[in-house]
Amino acid sequence: MITDQKTQNRLHADTGTELFSIRQRKEAVTRMLDILKETPECLQVMNHIPAYAMDGDTSEWWKSEESENFMNSLLEVMESYTPDGYRFGPKSGTADLYGYWESKTGRTTLFHLLFSLESGYEWGKGLSHEKTDAFYKEIKEKFHEEGFDTDRTGCTSQAMYLVKGKTRLYVHPMEISGYCETLHIPQITAIL
């Protein structure tokens, strides 16, 4: 049990344990609602999930943008209750097993991510100009829709950085890599 020092709200979770995997959205959302059940935030969102979606794992609602946004909102609430000396996010070495982990830096931990992409780029050959233009255009559009900005400072050719808060990811047709805030990991994973 975690008790928030400021609000005295109790979370039904322990530190140092895997609480849920964001790869199973329904289970992650259900677990977060259970962890947050004694908080005012839970009361505000408890009826947000349609009744038919709770009946089974096959409901299309769990694959919707609405459920993704709901999960991201719950992740933000979970992060806001991070105890001092801990960070909320994926377990070291994973991108999906979330919990409250001991940390000397606390909540400000950034994760180094590397997403390998299959864009048709071949080392030494590259992509045609048309495919390169289309690649960067698509990446820029998809990430802008989710609130990311692009930055070309220090970039040559068409390369760019995706920026949101403290997240800064370098984009190349072979990979997207860089440092990322915990809350942006599920968002980026869903986009890609």
Side-chain angles (χ1 to χ4, degrees):
M1 182 88 54
I2 298 170
T3 303
D4 183 63
Q5 297 304 312
K6 292 178 232 160
T7 64
Q8 296 302 305
N9 290 332
R10 294 186 312 173
L11 276 71
H12 292 263
D14 292 315
T15 57
T17 61
E18 296 171 7
L19 300 175
F20 54 85
S21 167
I22 61 168
R23 291 181 195 248
Q24 286 88 34
R25 191 174 296 164
K26 180 182 179 187
E27 288 80 10
V29 166
T30 303
R31 180 70 176 115
M32 284 188 278
L33 289 172
D34 185 54
I35 290 168
L36 297 167
K37 66 186 171 190
E38 290 187 38
T39 66
E41 292 87 352
C42 187
L43 294 173
Q44 294 170 2
V45 299
M46 62 189 287
N47 293 320
H48 187 76
I49 302 170
Y52 68 86
M54 293 307 290
D55 291 338
D57 293 338
T58 58
S59 172
E60 288 298 310
W61 188 83
W62 292 108
K63 298 174 187 168
S64 71
E65 186 177 336
E66 182 181 0
S67 75
E68 179 184 343
N69 292 338
F70 184 62
M71 181 180 76
N72 288 336
S73 295
L74 290 175
L75 288 168
E76 289 179 20
V77 173
M78 295 283 293
E79 198 273 334
S80 74
Y81 282 108
T82 302
D84 289 338
Y86 289 83
R87 64 171 178 78
F88 174 73
K91 183 178 183 179
S92 291
T94 74
D96 67 322
L97 300 175
Y98 275 59
Y100 292 101
W101 310 103
E102 194 170 359
S103 173
K104 290 181 176 56
T105 59
R107 299 165 91 170
T108 60
T109 302
L110 297 175
F111 290 86
H112 186 264
L113 300 179
L114 171 67
F115 292 94
S116 296
L117 304 176
E118 293 184 20
S119 64
Y121 185 94
E122 292 183 48
W123 188 255
K125 294 182 182 179
L127 285 174
S128 68
H129 289 294
E130 294 81 21
K131 286 184 180 179
T132 301
D133 290 345
F135 169 80
Y136 283 108
K137 180 180 180 198
E138 181 180 1
I139 291 291
K140 187 174 182 177
E141 287 173 0
K142 286 186 177 211
F143 279 85
H144 274 207
E145 288 173 8
E146 297 297 325
F148 286 84
D149 292 322
T150 53
D151 180 11
R152 299 203 60 245
T153 306
C155 293
T156 57
S157 68
Q158 289 183 292
M160 65 181 164
Y161 288 94
L162 299 168
V163 181
K164 185 175 185 180
K166 294 179 184 175
T167 296
R168 185 172 175 85
L169 302 171
Y170 179 75
V171 179
H172 182 276
M174 288 180 65
E175 66 185 34
I176 294 178
S177 64
Y179 291 95
C180 185
E181 291 181 58
T182 302
L183 295 176
H184 297 152
I185 295 172
Q187 202 176 19
I188 294 164
T189 304
I191 294 168
L192 296 174

